[in-house]
Amino acid sequence: MPKALILIADGSEEIEFVTPYDVLTRAGFEIQSAGVALKNDSYAHMTRNIRIVPDHHSLSFISNPSSYDILILPGGAPGAKTFSSNDEVLQLIAAFRDQGKYVAAICAGTTALVAAQRLAASGKTESGAGRKVKVTSHPSVKDEIKEAGWEYSEERVVVDEKIITSRGPGTAMLFALTIVESLAGKGKREEISSPLVVAETL
């Protein structure tokens, strides 16, 4: 089954982190979480004051990004700001896109995609971050993304090439199921949807 890496920072959104982690685990994915610039060595302090212990407390354990099939970026404005200003994260996004791997971002997490592409375009990364594609995000960062020249959609989940984006906490289940379908097929999505009692309309 596919192997996924999901990032977490102080100020990441709980639902947008936990839901993909849970759903992908149910689908049989091998998934690991990694902290980014955490103030506490033991946990990430999330937007609603929940504390989550990541599998790894930094990105230093990643020796070969190509061993993963997808990189997932949850939202939450403070966490997304950390991702967007962290050179390790931006290089990681660039590496995944260069290698034709999936990158998925939800809510304000989409701004990290924009930051990685902008940095690549300026020649400040060793590799590129791919071309601009159609994306969505939380409405609060819509203007920022459009002003950067990305095609914007207000659909709940958007898949363009190997970029998967979504809007916010209320779309986290659809986001996670779309990741499952994209990497493991519609049958796997249907298999896990039934015991989850997923509504027909998400």
Side-chain angles (χ1 to χ4, degrees):
M1 289 300 288
K3 186 175 181 180
L5 174 65
I6 184 167
L7 304 187
I8 187 171
D10 294 316
S12 290
E13 161 59 50
E14 289 89 333
I15 293 173
E16 296 166 3
F17 173 84
V18 172
T19 303
Y21 200 112
D22 178 293
V23 171
L24 269 60
T25 298
R26 292 171 188 264
F29 282 49
E30 180 182 345
I31 184 164
Q32 295 180 322
S33 59
V36 177
L38 300 179
K39 293 178 182 178
N40 187 295
D41 289 338
S42 300
Y43 59 81
H45 191 161
M46 311 296 276
T47 57
R48 271 60 186 175
N49 293 320
I50 293 174
R51 291 164 175 77
I52 292 179
V53 178
D55 299 317
H56 303 275
H57 297 286
S58 73
L59 300 176
S60 61
F61 77 98
I62 302 171
S63 59
N64 183 15
S66 65
S67 66
Y68 295 92
D69 299 292
I70 185 168
L71 173 66
I72 304 170
L73 306 165
K81 185 176 181 180
T82 296
F83 297 154
S84 298
S85 61
N86 185 283
D87 287 344
E88 282 187 287
V89 172
L90 301 183
Q91 291 280 9
L92 195 59
I93 293 170
F96 270 73
R97 295 199 68 190
D98 278 354
Q99 294 170 17
K101 306 285 186 175
Y102 279 91
V103 179
I106 183 170
C107 194
T110 303
T111 59
L113 285 170
V114 173
Q117 195 280 332
R118 184 184 292 123
L119 197 64
S122 71
K124 293 182 180 178
T125 59
E126 294 179 1
S127 58
R131 69 180 187 86
K132 297 172 183 177
V133 297
K134 183 192 293 185
V135 295
T136 192
S137 71
H138 193 272
S140 64
V141 294
K142 172 182 176 180
D143 290 344
E144 176 183 345
I145 293 166
K146 290 184 69 176
E147 288 168 7
W150 291 63
E151 184 178 354
Y152 195 86
S153 170
E154 295 192 0
E155 296 174 33
R156 293 171 66 78
V157 173
V158 173
V159 181
D160 191 1
E161 296 183 2
K162 289 194 172 181
I163 301 295
I164 303 169
T165 53
S166 190
R167 307 218 74 195
T171 65
M173 179 62 76
L174 180 58
F175 175 65
L177 290 171
T178 301
I179 292 172
V180 171
E181 182 172 346
S182 296
L183 276 79
K186 187 175 181 180
K188 177 58 69 174
R189 172 177 174 161
E190 292 174 349
E191 175 188 322
I192 65 167
S193 293
S194 178
L196 283 169
V197 197
V198 174
E200 290 185 10
T201 302
L202 289 174

